Amino acid sequence: MKQAVAQAAVAYIKPKLGKDSIVGVGTGSTANFFIDALAEIKTFFDGAVASSEATAERLKKHGITVYDLNSVNDMEVYVDGADEFDSQLNLIKGGGGALTREKIVAAVAKEFVCIVDSSKRVEVMGEFPLPVEVIPMARSYVARELAKLDGMPVWRKDFITDNGNLILDVQDMEITDAKALETQINGIIGVVTNGLFANRGADVVLMGTPDGVETITL
Ligand code: 5RP
């Protein structure tokens, strides 16, 4: 399903791309399938911006030019996976720990195309632990603040983000107002960002199912 949805994403974005277009590329196993499929149309666009070191490496291996985001003004589209999504196309991301760069690249893109298999669709988000990237010296303080929000923060041991920070995975959250919670957690001093993509959610979700790929918009 991940492979099928990756192929569908390439078919979806191809008509939007021109010789000067830049594609934002996410991180994870679904995004990896997308990178492999994207390589087949690499002559149709200029290059890509990567949301992680791992993605940059995979893009380069395929001969796709990788740009620093600071040298890019316009990005046609950002394509990335998710850990959960709901009916409002709010997302939880960051299972792979790349949430901050993913959120930055998504913010720049005109359109965010989320690629998932059907196991990622939920009624209420929060069963997947919500990743929060934290400045190392603030880990304990942020954990105490997150506990006040009725979550159970668990330090992702032996993991350092591409930005040199730590991840707290918040378990047992029932997320009913994703936009408000995203803003509230980002307001805790020491938080770099959190894995809720609600204030800038997906514009379209391409969902792989056993019967084919569904296109979901609001
Ligand atoms: C990485 C992410 C990924 O998009 C998310 O974890 C989904 O991964 P996969 O496609 O492997 O299921 O947010 O930080």
Side-chain angles (χ1 to χ4, degrees):
M1 283 192 274
K2 287 182 178 185
Q3 196 158 20
V5 89
Q7 291 286 353
V10 167
Y12 179 87
I13 67 167
K14 192 177 167 193
K16 301 170 190 277
L17 301 179
K19 282 273 172 216
D20 297 330
S21 299
I22 303 292
V23 179
V25 184
T27 299
S29 57
T30 320
N32 281 345
F33 281 118
F34 171 71
I35 295 167
D36 298 345
L38 187 67
E40 291 163 25
I41 62 157
K42 67 181 176 192
T43 54
F44 288 83
F45 62 99
D46 184 11
V49 170
S51 64
S52 64
E53 301 296 339
T55 286
E57 204 173 304
R58 197 175 184 99
L59 286 162
K60 285 179 196 162
K61 270 193 189 143
H62 280 296
I64 297 171
T65 305
V66 177
Y67 287 99
D68 182 315
L69 184 61
N70 291 309
S71 66
V72 167
N73 290 325
D74 275 324
M75 188 184 299
E76 208 55 48
V77 67
Y78 177 63
V79 182
D80 196 0
D83 299 300
E84 281 187 352
F85 77 100
D86 69 11
S87 59
Q88 295 308 299
L89 310 193
N90 300 312
L91 316 172
I92 286 183
K93 292 184 45 53
L99 58 157
T100 300
R101 294 190 186 192
E102 292 173 340
K103 203 175 266 200
I104 294 167
V105 185
V108 175
K110 287 186 197 136
E111 185 176 5
F112 182 175
V113 180
C114 184
I115 50 174
V116 290
D117 63 72
S118 51
S119 69
K120 307 290 180 72
R121 174 145 69 181
V122 296
E123 288 296 318
V124 179
M125 291 196 300
E127 197 173 310
F128 189 92
L130 175 65
V132 179
E133 181 164 349
V134 177
I135 300 287
M137 73 173 287
R139 174 175 55 84
S140 297
Y141 168 70
V142 171
R144 289 194 296 275
E145 293 300 303
L146 290 170
K148 290 181 192 163
L149 302 177
D150 285 339
M152 198 180 76
V154 176
W155 177 17
R156 200 183 293 184
K157 292 259 175 67
D158 302 322
F159 185 86
I160 304 283
T161 70
D162 284 350
N163 313 307
N165 297 315
L166 308 176
I167 298 277
L168 295 171
D169 291 302
V170 191
Q171 300 177 347
D172 298 335
M173 299 276 264
E174 203 169 290
I175 301 170
T176 48
D177 187 343
K179 284 191 173 76
L181 186 63
E182 180 182 0
T183 304
Q184 192 175 11
I185 294 176
N186 282 344
I188 300 171
I189 304 299
V191 168
V192 179
T193 195
N194 73 84
L196 275 170
F197 285 55
N199 291 297
R200 202 280 185 255
D203 296 301
V204 57
V205 172
L206 302 179
M207 181 179 74
T209 78
D211 303 321
V213 175
E214 272 180 41
T215 302
I216 306 168
T217 51
L218 285 180

